[in-house]
Amino acid sequence: MSLSSSLYTGTSGLTNMGNAMQVVGNNISNVNTVGFKKGRSTFADTLSESIATQAGADQVGRGMAMGSVDQSFGQGSFESTSNSTDLSIGGDGFFVMRWSDSEEMYYTRAGNFRFDKAGQLVNPQGYIVQGWEIDSKTGDDTGAIKDIVLGAFSSPPKKSEEITVITNLEASAESKAVVLSNLWDASAEEYIEAGKYNYQTSVKVYDSLGSTHDITIHYDKKKDTEWEYTITCNPEEDKRDLVRGTTSQGLLARGTITYSQDNGNIVNFTMSKMTGRIGNVQNQGLNTADTTHFTVENLDAMELDGYNFNFEFNGTEWEWKDIDEDGTNGDIDDLPVNYKSAEILYSDAENIEIALNGEDKNADLKIKLDEAAGSTEALSFDVSSKDKLHVQGLTNNFYTGDTANGNSSFEINAPGVMTVDSKDVGMTWYPQEEKWRWSNPEVAKDNGTLISGMNYSNFVAVDPDEGGDGTWDFTNNPEKPYSDPADEIRVTDASVMTKYSNIQVQYGDPGTGNQWNWDTPVKDADFTALATPSWAAPFDSPSLSGIDNGITSGNAFDAAGSYQLTYTNGTPSTWTSTGATAAAIVSGDDSGVTFELANGTQSMYSFGSKLGADQDGGTIEFTITPSAPEQYPDADLKTGSVAGTDLDDMMIDFNGDATDDLTFDMAEGVFSPGETFVFNVDPDAPPAEYASATLKGDSESATIDLDGSASDATDDDIVFNFDEALTSGPSSDSYADRSEIKFDIEGSAAWEEIPKDTIKKDGVYSFSADFLGGDNDSTKMDIVFDIGTRFDGTSWINDSMSSTQFAKSSSTTFQTADGYSSGDLQEVDVSLDGVMTGIFSNGESTPLFRVGLAKFFNNQGLSNSGSNLFRETTDSGEAITNRPGDNGLGTISSNSLEMSNVDISEEFVKMISTQRGFQANSKTITTTDDMMSTVIQMKR
């Protein structure tokens, strides 16, 4: 019995030693297998047999069995390769694989992957590597783990969304343009003439199809530390519908950059966008200017400016807004000037189609809203003609007096406030008052302020006009002042009343009958004759210093007449009044004479040398005749009748062209001789289009606050500067030294300033471009313009690298633009965290997928499926999938493979020991066989 058991014990040893040799052989055969994990065999004894011994029952072993065959998942060595899709795991984890015809997942350490013809990342057996798709914009994983499949081996183009232009602008530069954007001309060979700006730089951007376009920024010094810039493109590439066919094509945006005087860094930054033919878009409701899209179907129908297109939605359709509040929508008073025949052809909650000329019944302008309008929604906008659409400035400047002959220059600091045209804007310098006043008489007439300050004596309780109501009609008829035949003050030609003047007239002249006469102060012009003294030498020699006119005050009307003063030499010498008009001699001698005029004013003549016997009987003769106000020296004052019966009416011809410009229709018999009538001609009214404008200044400059903002920081919209100071002071001739400036304002509603508090992206301005011309702004590009500063809600914060104004030549420090053209995939790169990035021929690197890894709580429980693959089992536990480097998973190395972890020397040692064990077990069997033969021979 024991001999048979010994035989079977030896047999178990042979069998299991053979199995162990199989493990060793498998390890050795896979010594070069990628990702192979070596096996290890362990032995265990079998159930023992009990035998009787002197000590009692003991056990004798029955042989051995394989205890287990384990796999070692230790890290194998890495081998470098030239294939970027050869991946290895540094640390714990397995690649996740799927067979294309099954949903079952497999796991491997062998990372020898490649892309097949379908773009799938597979192992040599065709199992597909699993991972997460990556959002190329955010870099975040999207969705669940899936097959890594490249849908295309090319990169689609990406339109540019941001340009960065960091410049230094020379601090000592001089301004070369009044308004830089005004110089742009899309129809010219050179869009902005060279030499009219300080610096320019260009950067290349991409549209959504991958085509490239140059964005050019021009810079010009405005003043001190303020610069203006324009952002432009090639006009032929500008497909924005609202600038099509205009000289503004290619002009995208403009603005100003203000630097610190102390350190040259940015302290303020502005931007205005070019809106084109439609501007000043205002929405009240669900839509905004950005969600309202305009398409011009007929450019010829928009030849003229049209302000205040106003619409409102009634819940079903759009209709003209009742601007004049007469209860009727869309009558002629509700339509813009120049477009009185405009008509809404069709509308619904999202669309408006307008015929601008109202004749051909074709839609000239279409409006598309992104959001359906609500029942209270309103929309308004302005239409600009195509001529000089972008220009905001002054033209036709005309200077007289001290402002002429090249003495004047002007600067425009806020062109954005010039939204409408205004013609013949006038302003006048009054040197004696040292004051600037507007000179816009037509506007003052319309405002009812051209004639003001009326004051008349001796008839306070008497009605001065024919209306009988005690007032002048212009105060009761402000809508049509000085023009209606019923008005007692009528202005026939306001254009000649360009200067402020206080005018005084007096009624009654005993010599010629009752009539109106000038009642102005005595001045040189009132002396119609000043006779040469009628005495002889030596007073006609150069030793005589001359005769000084001492008549410096008084009223010409009251002092009118012919005067003669006669000298009598004697002891003492005396003077007598011998003229037609008596003058009372106050005092006189051989040095001069003091006399009193007819109006009671004392005046004097003095001589440089004393008179003597030769001058005895000599005379001084002069005549005082009332003359027109010095502001209107050619004016003619007439008395007559307007209605044919009233002989007290007064007419004034201001420019001497024999045409009455101003008429006062007085009540007959009200005025008596000696009574005065005073009024002001006051053309001091701002232009009608800029009613809030203010004017101030001195002899060196004049400043206009065109929009009436009245802030010290923003009230210098237009500034006129004078190289030589204008004549000023009380000694100046208040008429001859008066200076005038006339100009036209070229306005535009096509510029819209972007408020700082509406900046949408990271506190940086954006401008818009369209290089493709899609419908409803579908191809519009919003491009961030980064100059190295950002608005934090309160102030501008400069980046570490930002634009500057230093005392060195203007230059571009750094510039770049995002976006790119289409490209072909050249290679892929896999990072440590498993991100697979495509490297394309356009130079772009785009994250595509993230390779997934899995781990198990019990790697020994995995089932070996061949081809270096393992399967999940109950013993292994469920796979835990995550990103490489997370949750205890290893990282990934590209261009390398993990080799087998088999140690060949170790396996040879195991082979020898296994062989010896096998030999020893075979000896047990042969020895037992010999023993059994001896037992059998005992019977013989």
Side-chain angles (χ1 to χ4, degrees):
M1 178 69 72
S2 59
L3 287 177
S4 297
S5 298
S6 296
L7 185 63
Y8 288 115
T9 299
T11 302
S12 70
L14 287 175
T15 301
N16 290 305
M17 283 299 168
N19 290 334
M21 184 60 74
Q22 184 177 352
V23 173
V24 172
N26 184 59
N27 288 343
I28 293 174
S29 66
N30 286 286
V31 68
N32 289 322
T33 300
V34 176
F36 178 78
K37 299 303 176 185
K38 67 183 179 181
R40 183 190 66 179
S41 58
T42 58
F43 303 110
D45 60 352
T46 59
L47 186 65
S48 300
E49 177 185 1
S50 297
I51 61 173
T53 64
Q54 288 183 343
D58 286 318
Q59 292 181 319
V60 177
R62 298 292 299 277
M64 50 87 73
M66 293 292 290
S68 66
V69 178
D70 302 322
Q71 282 190 292
S72 172
F73 286 91
Q75 184 82 55
S77 61
F78 291 155
E79 178 184 358
S80 297
T81 73
S82 61
N83 185 6
S84 61
T85 57
D86 285 343
L87 309 179
S88 60
I89 303 173
D92 197 7
F94 298 86
F95 297 110
V96 184
M97 317 292 292
R98 185 187 72 84
W99 181 248
S100 59
D101 295 334
S102 171
E103 294 300 321
E104 186 174 2
M105 296 296 179
Y106 295 83
Y107 307 92
T108 185
R109 294 279 296 190
N112 49 332
F113 304 135
R114 59 182 173 82
F115 287 104
D116 66 10
K117 63 180 181 180
Q120 301 174 126
L121 186 63
V122 298
N123 70 356
Q125 290 73 39
Y127 288 81
I128 308 171
V129 182
Q130 303 294 293
W132 293 273
E133 192 169 1
I134 292 181
D135 187 321
S136 60
K137 294 183 179 180
T138 64
D140 297 332
D141 301 345
T142 61
I145 195 168
K146 60 187 292 187
D147 296 346
I148 295 181
V149 182
L150 294 183
F153 285 85
S154 63
S155 168
K158 177 182 180 295
K159 66 181 180 181
S160 297
E161 295 181 346
E162 180 173 352
I163 62 173
T164 300
V165 181
I166 307 298
T167 59
N168 176 72
L169 301 176
E170 186 177 358
S172 60
E174 298 290 336
S175 176
K176 296 185 177 183
V178 177
V179 179
L180 180 61
S181 57
N182 288 353
L183 302 180
W184 181 263
D185 186 355
S187 64
E189 183 176 348
E190 194 172 18
Y191 308 129
I192 293 185
E193 186 178 345
K196 296 297 181 66
Y197 53 86
N198 290 122
Y199 184 65
Q200 77 165 35
T201 186
S202 297
V203 61
K204 195 178 297 296
V205 298
Y206 297 86
D207 62 31
S208 58
L209 297 182
S211 298
T212 60
H213 308 273
D214 285 340
I215 296 294
T216 301
I217 303 97
H218 296 86
Y219 302 88
D220 187 66
K221 181 76 168 289
K222 198 164 186 67
K223 62 177 181 178
D224 300 328
T225 59
E226 184 178 359
W227 289 72
E228 56 182 337
Y229 66 88
T230 60
I231 302 175
T232 66
C233 68
N234 188 327
E236 296 178 359
E237 298 176 354
D238 187 1
K239 298 300 191 295
R240 292 174 297 164
D241 184 65
L242 296 181
V243 297
R244 182 162 43 96
T246 72
T247 57
S248 304
Q249 203 162 342
L251 189 55
L252 305 176
R254 73 178 183 190
T256 61
I257 308 171
T258 305
Y259 297 91
S260 168
Q261 187 71 47
D262 295 332
N263 55 34
N265 293 325
I266 299 170
V267 295
N268 197 22
F269 182 29
T270 70
M271 179 180 284
S272 296
K273 60 182 179 180
M274 162 59 63
T275 63
R277 303 292 297 276
I278 305 296
N280 194 27
V281 179
Q282 304 289 329
N283 298 74
Q284 296 178 1
L286 299 175
N287 288 279
T288 66
D290 290 336
T291 63
T292 306
H293 311 284
F294 297 84
T295 301
V296 180
E297 299 291 338
N298 182 8
L299 288 172
D300 294 336
M302 298 176 63
E303 287 297 313
L304 301 174
D305 290 335
Y307 301 106
N308 298 318
F309 279 80
N310 281 277
F311 305 91
E312 58 185 4
F313 190 64
N314 62 17
T316 303
E317 60 183 4
W318 289 87
E319 58 186 2
W320 295 100
K321 191 173 184 180
D322 182 15
I323 301 299
D324 59 352
E325 299 181 354
D326 63 354
T328 302
N329 294 80
D331 59 23
I332 194 170
D333 292 328
D334 298 329
L335 274 63
V337 176
N338 297 329
Y339 292 93
K340 293 299 185 182
S341 60
E343 181 180 348
I344 301 175
L345 300 180
Y346 170 80
S347 68
D348 56 31
E350 298 176 353
N351 299 277
I352 310 174
E353 297 183 3
I354 306 169
L356 293 174
N357 57 21
E359 295 177 0
D360 55 12
K361 304 299 181 183
N362 293 322
D364 301 315
L365 179 64
K366 292 183 178 180
I367 305 171
K368 174 69 176 176
L369 305 174
D370 287 350
E371 302 290 337
S375 58
T376 60
E377 189 139 348
L379 169 65
S380 66
F381 57 87
D382 297 333
V383 169
S384 298
S385 66
K386 67 178 182 179
D387 295 331
K388 297 183 179 180
L389 178 65
H390 58 282
V391 174
Q392 293 177 312
L394 304 185
T395 187
N396 297 327
N397 291 26
F398 182 74
Y399 304 95
T400 59
D402 289 345
T403 62
N405 301 319
N407 191 42
S408 301
S409 62
F410 66 93
E411 59 188 55
I412 298 175
N413 298 312
V417 302
M418 300 180 181
T419 55
V420 297
D421 294 341
S422 185
K423 301 295 184 181
D424 296 324
V425 178
M427 47 190 283
T428 302
W429 168 247
Y430 292 80
Q432 286 188 325
E433 301 174 70
E434 296 187 333
K435 181 178 182 179
W436 283 94
R437 285 192 177 98
W438 293 111
S439 182
N440 299 304
E442 295 284 2
V443 180
K445 172 186 173 183
D446 293 339
N447 293 344
T449 60
L450 181 59
I451 307 301
S452 64
M454 288 175 293
N455 186 9
Y456 27 89
S457 60
N458 301 329
F459 50 84
V460 175
V462 179
D463 185 1
D465 66 48
E466 295 183 348
D469 56 4
T471 61
W472 295 86
D473 279 359
F474 80 93
T475 59
N476 295 330
N477 188 18
E479 294 183 359
K480 296 182 179 180
Y482 320 140
S483 59
D484 192 283
D487 291 336
E488 273 64 47
I489 301 176
R490 291 193 289 281
V491 175
T492 306
D493 185 4
S495 65
V496 299
M497 302 182 210
T498 57
K499 302 175 184 65
Y500 177 86
S501 178
N502 176 262
I503 297 178
Q504 179 171 315
V505 295
Q506 189 170 127
Y507 189 73
D509 185 345
T512 60
N514 291 339
Q515 64 181 22
W516 290 103
N517 291 277
W518 300 116
D519 192 20
T520 53
V522 173
K523 56 185 182 297
D524 289 346
D526 296 324
F527 290 82
T528 57
L530 177 58
T532 302
S534 58
W535 44 70
F539 294 98
D540 57 356
S541 69
S543 63
L544 181 64
S545 62
I547 302 175
D548 296 331
N549 179 7
I551 305 176
T552 57
S553 63
N555 184 282
F557 181 82
D558 295 334
S562 297
Y563 294 86
Q564 178 176 301
L565 305 177
T566 301
Y567 173 69
T568 301
N569 182 253
T571 306
S573 297
T574 61
W575 290 82
T576 57
S577 174
T578 57
T581 305
I585 303 300
V586 176
S587 63
D589 55 21
D590 54 5
S591 298
V593 58
T594 300
F595 55 95
E596 187 176 279
L597 298 176
N599 65 351
T601 301
Q602 287 193 4
S603 297
M604 175 182 68
Y605 281 110
S606 60
F607 307 98
S609 299
K610 290 187 178 182
L611 305 178
D614 292 340
Q615 285 77 45
D616 184 58
T619 61
I620 298 175
E621 298 177 358
F622 57 89
T623 301
I624 298 177
T625 303
S627 61
E630 59 183 2
Q631 293 87 348
Y632 299 99
D634 298 324
D636 183 19
L637 176 64
K638 294 182 290 184
T639 305
S641 172
V642 175
T645 58
D646 187 354
L647 300 180
D648 297 330
D649 297 334
M650 179 173 61
M651 288 78 78
I652 302 177
D653 169 14
F654 281 90
N655 59 351
D657 64 354
T659 302
D660 295 338
D661 303 313
L662 173 64
T663 298
F664 289 92
D665 192 354
M666 305 291 193
E668 186 176 8
V670 170
F671 295 97
S672 301
E675 291 183 349
T676 59
F677 178 40
V678 179
F679 63 93
N680 296 328
V681 173
D682 189 1
D684 189 11
E689 296 80 6
Y690 299 92
S692 300
T694 60
L695 171 63
K696 65 180 181 180
D698 52 30
S699 62
E700 297 180 349
S701 66
T703 302
I704 299 174
D705 179 8
L706 202 58
D707 61 350
S709 56
S711 166
D712 289 340
T714 59
D715 66 354
D716 58 345
D717 300 334
I718 303 172
V719 179
F720 288 91
N721 296 303
F722 313 112
D723 295 339
E724 297 291 337
L726 308 181
T727 302
S728 63
S731 62
S732 62
D733 185 324
S734 58
Y735 171 69
D737 295 334
R738 197 159 298 179
S739 301
E740 297 180 72
I741 300 176
K742 269 188 174 294
F743 55 88
D744 295 340
I745 296 177
E746 288 186 304
S748 172
W751 289 107
E752 180 182 334
E753 183 170 0
I754 304 173
K756 290 192 287 288
D757 56 6
T758 64
I759 300 176
K760 297 178 180 178
K761 187 175 181 180
D762 301 329
V764 184
Y765 285 118
S766 298
F767 63 92
S768 297
D770 189 348
F771 301 110
L772 301 176
D775 294 336
N776 298 323
D777 298 332
S778 60
T779 53
K780 184 182 76 171
M781 300 167 54
D782 290 328
I783 303 175
V784 168
F785 182 48
D786 186 0
I787 63 171
T789 188
R790 300 174 188 278
F791 188 66
D792 67 354
T794 303
S795 59
W796 291 95
I797 306 300
N798 294 324
D799 299 336
S800 57
M801 181 171 64
S802 64
S803 294
T804 55
Q805 179 191 254
F806 293 150
K808 62 178 183 177
S809 298
S810 297
S811 61
T812 301
T813 306
F814 173 78
Q815 69 177 32
T816 186
D818 62 356
Y820 44 81
S821 61
S822 61
D824 297 322
L825 182 65
Q826 294 182 318
E827 59 178 300
V828 294
D829 177 64
V830 183
S831 62
L832 292 175
D833 58 356
V835 174
M836 181 176 290
T837 301
I839 311 299
F840 295 88
S841 59
N842 57 6
E844 291 303 311
S845 300
T846 304
L848 305 173
F849 283 90
R850 187 190 303 276
V851 177
L853 294 183
K855 72 175 184 176
F856 299 88
F857 287 117
N858 178 21
N859 289 344
Q860 299 297 331
L862 293 171
S863 173
N864 197 326
S865 298
S867 301
N868 293 332
L869 299 174
F870 298 94
R871 293 174 60 185
E872 175 187 307
T873 68
T874 304
D875 290 339
S876 67
E878 293 184 357
I880 302 173
T881 306
N882 216 320
R883 305 193 308 179
D886 287 354
N887 198 27
L889 290 170
T891 57
I892 290 179
S893 296
S894 180
N895 293 98
S896 69
L897 293 173
E898 182 184 4
M899 303 308 294
S900 169
N901 65 350
V902 174
D903 185 340
I904 192 66
S905 61
E906 180 183 341
E907 296 304 318
F908 281 166
V909 171
K910 287 183 179 180
M911 183 187 299
I912 293 171
S913 64
T914 301
Q915 179 186 6
R916 293 305 181 189
F918 187 89
Q919 289 175 336
N921 277 285
S922 67
K923 290 297 183 181
T924 300
I925 294 174
T926 58
T927 300
T928 301
D929 180 52
D930 289 342
M931 292 175 67
M932 291 182 69
S933 296
T934 301
V935 172
I936 293 172
Q937 290 176 0
M938 288 175 61
K939 180 179 179 182
R940 298 176 181 170

